[in-house]
Amino acid sequence: MLLNYIYVGAYNYQQIAENLTCAECKKMDTDKKSVISTINVQSQADAELERKLRELKFKQELRKDWILFIVRDVVIFPAAIAWIFAITGYSLFLLINK
């Protein structure tokens, strides 16, 4: 009879408890408490793993941001400015020598 009430989706707890005997109710309460405590332990472990995963992702994003900063701001922008100066200098040189 307990197997009939495992799926609690459509019923509320009081309707199920009215249909069960007291021994089944006590067993169900004990099972429910053990499931809840197991879920709490698992959720605490999951929360700890989730926190560590967030920290790793943050560190990875930070590294990626630093690499992009170095590549973009330290290498590409100065190279672009040097290229612009070289082109303008060459153009100016050609104009002066004409």
Side-chain angles (χ1 to χ4, degrees), residues 19-35:
N19 294 332
L20 298 175
T21 63
C22 286
E24 289 173 332
C25 288
K26 288 178 184 176
K27 180 171 177 17
M28 189 171 165
D29 285 340
T30 306
D31 290 343
K32 190 175 179 182
K33 288 177 185 175
S34 67
V35 167

Side-chain angles (χ1 to χ4, degrees), residues 63-76:
R63 283 188 200 121
K64 186 177 93 174
D65 289 343
W66 272 104
I67 291 170
L68 288 175
F69 166 76
I70 290 170
V71 168
R72 185 180 57 218
D73 293 349
V74 176
V75 175
I76 293 176

Side-chain angles (χ1 to χ4, degrees), residues 17-18 20-23 27 30 32 34 36 38 40 42 49 51 57 60 62 65-66 77 83-84 94:
E18 289 172 1
L20 298 175
T21 63
C22 286
K27 180 171 177 17
T30 306
K32 190 175 179 182
S34 67
I36 289 173
T38 305
N40 286 340
Q42 288 177 348
L49 288 174
R51 185 185 63 79
K57 284 183 179 180
Q60 196 173 30
L62 190 61
D65 289 343
W66 272 104
F77 289 157
W83 178 257
I84 290 169
L94 287 178

